[in-house]
Amino acid sequence: ENKITIAIDGYSSTGKSTVAKQLAAALGYVYVDTGAMYRAVTLYLMRKMLVSETNFDKEAILRQLPFINISFVFNKELGYGEVHLNGENVEKEIRRLEVSQQVSKVAAISDVRKMLVKIQKKIGENKAVVMDGRDIGTVVFPQADLKLFMTASTEKRAQRRYDELKARGDVIAYEEVLENVKERDYLDTTRADSPLIKAEDAVEIDNSEMTLDNQFQKVLKLAKDKI
Ligand code: C5P
């Protein structure tokens, strides 16, 4: 059996990670959430007070990069790796809206991208991987065997993210989540280095009106056709 590389890119909160996890589980592949890596770097910089609503000290940020270690530790129960920042499991903390509000600024820094893309390429070097993010099919694995580009209406995406945060017990307003989704779309598609863009050979999936199972059956077939 042929092992393949699957790249899943798309806008914020399009359900990339949900479909990526399902695919990885069905195929017995490794799932890699690259957004979690950018979020973990952002969390580190926020704790150091170098990134906030009012502060963005690029020189100081660059000086901190050698001290940031991002890794994945496999969680048997979940069936995939959880992101660790200098040995600390930060899966829960990185999903907070405060981190979402800063991450796209950090992700626009080329040195940050270089550092993380290197790790991503290494994890995927033996294929059998499903990786989701913004630049996987364009920069990390331009030779990926299957590329998916996920979209959904802005309101649908904000509603899903809001429901998720609410379910975790976070106190937030829908309007704030919607604002953040729009802001990240803008920053992620307009940055100079590795902007979010659909790779020419990517299959676009608009899941605004799709059920999860519907979507899963569709992508599983696309994957199986390549294996
Ligand atoms: O996927 P998620 O929404 O968790 O990603 C958080 C942010 O990390 C994105 O809005 C984007 O700014 C950045 N990111 C990126 N490249 C990736 C993955 C995420 O720039 N491959």
Side-chain angles (χ1 to χ4, degrees):
E1 188 171 86
N2 191 23
K3 283 184 167 57
I4 66 168
T5 301
I6 302 175
I8 306 183
D9 291 302
Y11 297 95
S12 301
S13 309
T14 38
K16 297 186 295 295
S17 69
T18 304
V19 70
K21 279 176 198 162
Q22 288 176 324
L23 262 184
L27 302 172
Y29 283 14
V30 172
Y31 162 60
V32 185
D33 175 358
T34 65
M37 302 170 80
Y38 289 93
R39 287 171 178 273
V41 170
T42 303
L43 177 64
Y44 176 95
L45 297 169
M46 289 172 76
R47 286 175 174 176
K48 291 275 180 214
M49 313 285 183
L50 297 176
V51 172
S52 72
E53 206 65 54
T54 51
N55 195 19
F56 190 80
D57 187 341
K58 186 157 173 203
E59 288 311 309
I61 289 171
L62 294 182
R63 280 197 297 276
Q64 285 297 320
L65 298 188
F67 304 106
I68 305 177
N69 181 52
I70 305 296
S71 60
F72 285 96
V73 177
F74 188 75
N75 179 321
K76 252 197 195 156
E77 262 154 62
L78 295 174
Y80 53 82
E82 293 186 293
V83 76
H84 282 55
L85 165 63
N86 293 338
E88 174 193 353
N89 185 336
V90 290
E91 268 298 328
K92 188 141 197 284
E93 209 174 340
I94 57 167
R95 311 288 165 195
R96 291 174 49 219
L97 185 61
E98 286 83 352
V99 176
S100 301
Q101 285 167 338
Q102 304 304 323
V103 63
S104 292
K105 292 192 288 185
V106 173
I109 302 173
S110 286
D111 290 278
V112 170
R113 305 202 67 82
K114 258 184 232 146
M115 173 174 113
L116 298 182
V117 167
K118 197 172 152 193
I119 303 171
Q120 292 154 12
K121 285 189 164 156
K122 179 97 188 126
I123 298 175
E125 69 186 354
N126 295 321
K127 298 203 165 195
V129 67
V130 184
M131 197 172 280
D132 79 35
R134 302 292 186 289
D135 61 342
I136 312 306
T138 52
V139 175
V140 183
F141 295 122
Q143 311 298 339
D145 305 279
L146 175 62
K147 299 180 185 178
L148 303 176
F149 191 82
M150 315 280 298
T151 65
S153 74
T154 315
E155 285 69 24
K156 269 264 153 63
R157 292 187 283 128
Q159 188 64 50
R160 288 175 186 160
R161 181 51 65 103
Y162 173 75
D163 292 343
E164 229 172 76
L165 292 170
K166 229 13 220 300
R168 288 180 14 159
D170 289 9
V171 181
I172 34 142
Y174 168 77
E175 286 305 321
E176 218 182 344
V177 177
L178 178 64
E179 245 345 278
N180 176 247
V181 164
K182 286 182 181 167
E183 166 99 356
R184 281 200 287 147
D185 284 354
Y186 176 74
L187 292 174
D188 292 345
T189 50
T190 57
R191 71 181 173 222
D193 188 349
S194 319
L196 168 62
I197 180 175
K198 178 180 168 290
E200 256 176 55
D201 51 347
V203 180
E204 183 165 337
I205 296 177
D206 183 331
N207 63 20
S208 304
E209 307 298 334
M210 270 186 186
T211 66
L212 274 183
D213 192 55
N214 230 284
Q215 168 175 266
F216 175 57
Q217 295 309 330
K218 183 177 167 124
V219 298
L220 185 62
K221 180 165 188 331
L222 288 171
K224 288 200 162 154
D225 285 347
K226 301 276 183 184
I227 293 175

